Amino acid sequence: MSAEPRINDRIRVPEVRLVGPSGEQVGIVPLAKALELAQEYDLDLVEVAATARPPVCKLMDYGKFKYESAMKAREARKNQAHTVIKEMKLRPKIDPHDYDTKKGHVVRFLKQGDKVKITIMFRGREQSRPELGFRLLQRLASDVEDLGFIESNPKQDGRNMIMVLGPHKKKTEAMAEAREAQAARKAGRQGPTDAAPEDGAAEASGETSSEA
């Protein structure tokens, strides 16, 4: 079945509850009268509530309505950004340099507006020391608390311990800030367009003015 509403001659009911072009309530009128008014206004009679008794119809420019609806839907899709879940794996006895590197990746992901799944991988006897993984996850969450928050608390999953960090900012906000920063950097590289007059030229200008 088509999702398009019935318009004009496709409407097959004896009477309709008519709404005017500005949203005013005209009332219940025969279908023939509603079609006559549509012709007078050079508009379409569009069925907007088919299940009502009688059906509700409105006078409108249906072609313009469809175009504006399509543009709004397109703009909504354009602005929609899906949150991506990134993953970062650590060992419970990670060395400081590797930790800083991994933390840098987490910071970048959160700045982009993405969630980050942190996985601590236990091997051998490390499985008997889950507190090592828990402390590491708490440390990481504390180090990036300005950018993200703990969305899913640390929990044991077999040989792994998992925590999910969520960004404070939405993906759309992060993308907008990134575009603004890029534009600012581009403007900074271009520099000022108006060059200042040379000192000699300024002095010469001053001498001419004083003589006048």
Side-chain angles (χ1 to χ4, degrees):
M1 296 179 61
S2 174
E4 294 283 337
R6 294 188 298 182
I7 65 172
N8 300 328
D9 294 336
R10 291 170 54 195
I11 302 173
R12 304 289 186 182
V13 293
E15 59 184 15
V16 299
R17 184 178 297 278
L18 186 63
V19 179
S22 299
E24 68 275 16
Q25 297 291 330
V26 178
I28 297 176
V29 299
L31 176 63
K33 178 63 176 178
L35 289 171
E36 182 182 329
L37 289 173
Q39 289 182 348
E40 289 182 6
Y41 283 104
D42 194 22
L43 295 172
D44 298 298
L45 182 67
V46 182
E47 190 177 58
V48 294
T51 57
R53 291 293 178 268
V56 179
C57 294
K58 183 176 181 180
L59 297 175
M60 69 172 72
D61 184 337
Y62 187 58
K64 180 180 179 181
F65 171 76
K66 284 184 65 176
Y67 173 77
E68 291 177 348
S69 297
M71 292 300 294
K72 289 178 181 179
R74 180 180 177 184
E75 191 66 22
R77 289 193 299 269
K78 180 180 177 181
N79 293 331
Q80 186 178 15
H82 298 286
T83 301
V84 178
I85 298 181
K86 305 289 188 177
E87 183 170 14
M88 187 59 56
K89 296 182 178 181
L90 295 79
R91 294 293 308 281
K93 295 182 180 180
I94 188 171
D95 67 65
H97 176 73
D98 286 343
Y99 174 80
D100 290 337
T101 300
K102 301 278 189 178
K103 183 181 71 174
H105 291 316
V106 173
V107 166
R108 177 164 53 86
F109 294 148
L110 292 173
K111 282 184 176 180
Q112 292 172 353
D114 296 323
K115 296 181 181 182
V116 189
K117 176 183 176 182
I118 312 296
T119 302
I120 305 295
M121 302 179 296
F122 296 96
R123 294 180 183 175
R125 296 182 178 179
E126 292 175 349
Q127 296 182 61
S128 63
R129 301 288 305 279
E131 69 277 5
L132 295 178
F134 182 81
R135 285 201 295 265
L136 182 59
L137 291 175
Q138 290 293 320
R139 173 189 174 190
L140 180 59
S142 178
D143 287 345
V144 300
E145 63 182 356
D146 291 341
L147 300 171
F149 62 96
I150 299 178
E151 185 172 286
S152 178
N153 288 314
K155 62 180 180 181
Q156 196 78 25
D157 182 16
R159 295 185 177 184
N160 300 327
M161 183 174 288
I162 298 172
M163 176 182 73
V164 178
L165 295 175
H168 288 312
K169 295 179 180 177
K170 295 181 179 179
K171 185 78 171 180
T172 50
E173 295 175 352
M175 291 172 64
E177 287 191 359
R179 287 194 295 267
E180 291 176 0
Q182 183 179 9
R185 289 195 298 269
K186 184 177 180 181
R189 287 196 299 269
Q190 290 177 347
T193 55
D194 298 330
E198 296 181 358
D199 294 342
E203 292 175 358
S205 176
E207 291 173 357
T208 302
S209 176
S210 62
E211 288 176 357

